[in-house]
Every structure is written in C-alpha cells, then in structure tokens.
Amino acid sequence: MSGSSEGTVDGLEVYVLAEEHASGMFWAQHGISFLLKVHSGGQVHEILFDTGNSWEPIEHNLRLLGEDLSGVKAVVLSHRHYDHTGGLKGLLTNLNREITIISHPDLFRPNFVLPLREIGIPFTRAELEDLGARFLLTRDPIEVMSGVVTTGEVPRTSEVEREMTIETYTVDEDGRLVRDPIMDDVSLVVKLRGGSVVLTGCSHAGVVNIVKRAFEIAGPVRAVMGGFHLISASEERIEATVRALQDLGVEQVITGHCTGLTAECAFRKAYGKGFAQLAVGKVFRFP
Ligand SMILES: [Fe+2]
Ligand SMILES: [Fe+2]
C-alpha cells in the first residue's frame, strides 16, 4: 500500500449492508456499511467500507444476499462515529483472523455531542487488536489497492461548507471540552475509466470539499455515494451543494443516511435518473 493512485479498475459493485432504509426482508439500522467488489485484472477484490453501528443486522443482510466477508482484504473506516464503527467487534469476531483497518489517527479520540453523550468508536484499540485488527492510521491518502485510494484528511476550503452541520466536542490535554471539527472524516475513491466513484460516510468534511479532494487525487468524479450530513443544513447550503456537485461534473448521486429528506429531494429534482436512494439490499454497479 502506498500514497500513489496509478491505474484504474475495470468495474465496481457496491452492496449496501447498513443504512437507514431497507428493501424487502433486509434490516435497516442507523449507520453506513458498504461491501465493495472491485474488478481488476480478471480478479475480484473485496473491501469493506464502514461497519454500521451494530453487527447483527449486517450478518442478517449478508445471509439474504448470499454473501460473506471472508474474502475482505481491508476495512476502511470513514470516521470514528459509532454508527460507522460499532459493527467492528462483531466483524472481527466473525472473521477470526488478522485484517488491515485503514483510517485517520483521530480514530480513538473521544467525541461528544451536547447534552453530553459519547458518539465516538465504542471500543478500545487494544480490544480490537486482540481480535486481529491491524490499524493503518494516517492523515495522507492511502492506496488500498491499485485504483482504490482514500482521500486522507480533506482540506476544508469550500465557502458554503464553512457552516458546520454537527457541533461536536473532544477533550484537550488539560481535560477541557473543546470543539472538534471531525478532521478524521475520510472518503474512498475508486478510479474507473469513465471517472471515479467516491464513497462517503457522513461527509463531515463537506461533500463538496470531498469531491474536490477526490478530483485532485484521481481526476474526474462521476458518482458520489453515501451520507452527506445535510440533515440540519440551511436550504441555501443544500442548493449550493447541489450546484457545486453539478459544476464539478458529478453525474450520479446515491445518498441516504444523514443526508436528510430536504437535501435528498433537492438532489432527486436536480439529478433525475442520476439520483438513487440508498437502501440496504441494493447493489449498485459501475462498469
Ligand atoms: Fe453517520
Ligand atoms: Fe458521523
């Protein structure tokens, strides 16, 4: 694994394992988990992106899909919130082997919302390492495999995304509660010949900032899939976000989780057939 991002992959399938909506007999939950099947050089490589807040619904959904995670090469965690990391212990117990887990150095830093409630990763590093986790925590982009790269820490440059949509806190060296901008929010970029697909967790870095970062790292972005955290954003910000993604050349938006109904409707209206709602059990294919 390195920081470079040479090459493209031949195809991508994304299985939605955790999300707030579900189709048929699948189980929904608060959180995100995607199984990626990356087609490259005649082989299929499996990567897990986030683990929802609990493992049991994921296990149930995998069974219904006729899939398992035994072949997963690496886990990428978008950030430390419990609704993206809470399934980790169940996953590791189920895998019963060593596995690389890629994320940001702030993964185990406490994170709170007010009234005071912990919303960070609900496990210690040691207990996860005992179960086989091998952490690769970095602020830089990491190539998970040729053609698949993380954004690393995302610069917060976009004007419309100055307004934070979630106020969170952490503790400083003196034990004081201080604002936490969730700099650990990283996304995953899969490079395909027709443009990249970007997978986001909650987009706490701002989905426009994330797409800009993906563009810098890997060129044109054709699709963005995941939570955009616009649930409490102003209508002005939502409209500006839709326009910015269109201006950046994004052709397809697949969203749910923390995006919120108002923003989902705005994307549906602007994107038409290029919009899709996330739902557990759905499989999205990108040739
Ligand atoms: Fe989330
Ligand atoms: Fe989050």
Side-chain angles (χ1 to χ4, degrees):
M1 295 182 191
S2 75
S4 79
S5 59
E6 246 94 90
T8 54
V9 303
D10 302 325
L12 169 69
E13 294 162 86
V14 184
Y15 290 67
V16 183
L17 302 181
E19 144 56 32
E20 273 76 347
H21 305 79
S23 46
M25 300 299 283
F26 290 98
W27 289 354
Q29 64 164 296
H30 173 52
I32 286 280
S33 180
F34 300 142
L35 169 62
L36 277 64
K37 293 196 182 189
V38 182
H39 297 253
S40 181
Q43 286 186 312
V44 182
H45 306 265
E46 295 184 357
I47 298 166
L48 187 70
F49 181 77
D50 284 350
T51 65
N53 84 63
S54 99
W55 168 250
E56 286 70 25
I58 293 177
E59 201 171 33
H60 166 87
N61 296 331
L62 283 166
R63 222 175 291 128
L64 279 193
L65 285 162
E67 297 288 337
D68 65 62
L69 299 181
S70 57
V72 165
K73 293 277 186 298
V75 179
V76 177
L77 297 176
S78 66
H79 64 302
R80 66 198 191 276
H81 285 161
Y82 72 97
D83 54 322
H84 300 257
T85 57
L88 255 186
K89 213 168 168 178
L91 167 73
L92 293 169
T93 307
N94 189 271
L95 280 181
N96 196 26
R97 63 170 163 90
E98 290 190 3
I99 182 133
T100 302
I101 300 185
I102 298 168
S103 198
H104 184 279
D106 285 349
L107 184 67
F108 292 98
R109 213 174 167 198
N111 190 249
F112 304 99
V113 284
L114 297 176
L116 202 64
R117 182 167 65 98
E118 244 282 39
I119 60 166
I121 185 167
F123 314 113
T124 64
R125 182 170 182 157
E127 67 185 311
L128 296 174
E129 283 175 341
D130 280 351
L131 291 169
R134 298 294 171 259
F135 288 100
L136 189 48
L137 306 180
T138 172
R139 291 185 162 80
D140 299 320
I142 281 284
E143 191 175 78
V144 183
M145 57 173 276
S146 180
V148 180
V149 64
T150 68
T151 57
E153 204 172 283
V154 175
R156 315 282 171 100
T157 56
S158 140
E159 249 338 290
V160 295
E161 292 175 335
R162 293 256 180 255
E163 161 204 335
M164 294 283 288
T165 52
I166 180 173
E167 197 72 34
T168 77
Y169 299 84
T170 189
V171 277
D172 67 9
E173 312 77 62
D174 301 321
R176 280 180 309 221
L177 216 54
V178 289
R179 272 193 79 198
D180 184 342
I182 320 176
M183 292 310 291
D184 47 312
D185 185 69
V186 298
S187 296
L188 191 59
V189 185
V190 181
K191 288 176 73 178
L192 289 146
R193 264 177 283 279
S196 300
V197 176
V198 177
L199 298 144
T200 69
C202 280
S203 300
H204 294 300
V207 67
V208 177
N209 288 331
I210 291 167
V211 171
K212 279 187 182 167
R213 173 71 163 171
F215 201 102
E216 277 166 26
I217 294 172
V221 173
R222 74 153 98 151
V224 188
M225 176 169 177
F228 298 169
H229 219 288
L230 294 168
I231 199 154
S232 50
S234 62
E235 278 190 32
E236 193 188 0
R237 175 171 170 184
I238 290 171
E239 289 308 323
T241 302
V242 172
R243 267 199 312 276
L245 291 193
Q246 287 180 318
D247 290 348
L248 285 162
V250 174
E251 296 162 3
Q252 203 180 355
V253 167
I254 304 165
T255 193
H257 184 44
C258 50
T259 299
L261 258 185
T262 310
E264 284 174 18
C265 288
F267 277 110
R268 189 184 288 272
K269 203 168 142 203
Y271 272 87
K273 284 197 169 69
F275 174 88
Q277 173 76 58
L278 279 178
V280 177
K282 280 189 183 177
V283 183
F284 293 92
R285 293 187 168 84
F286 304 91

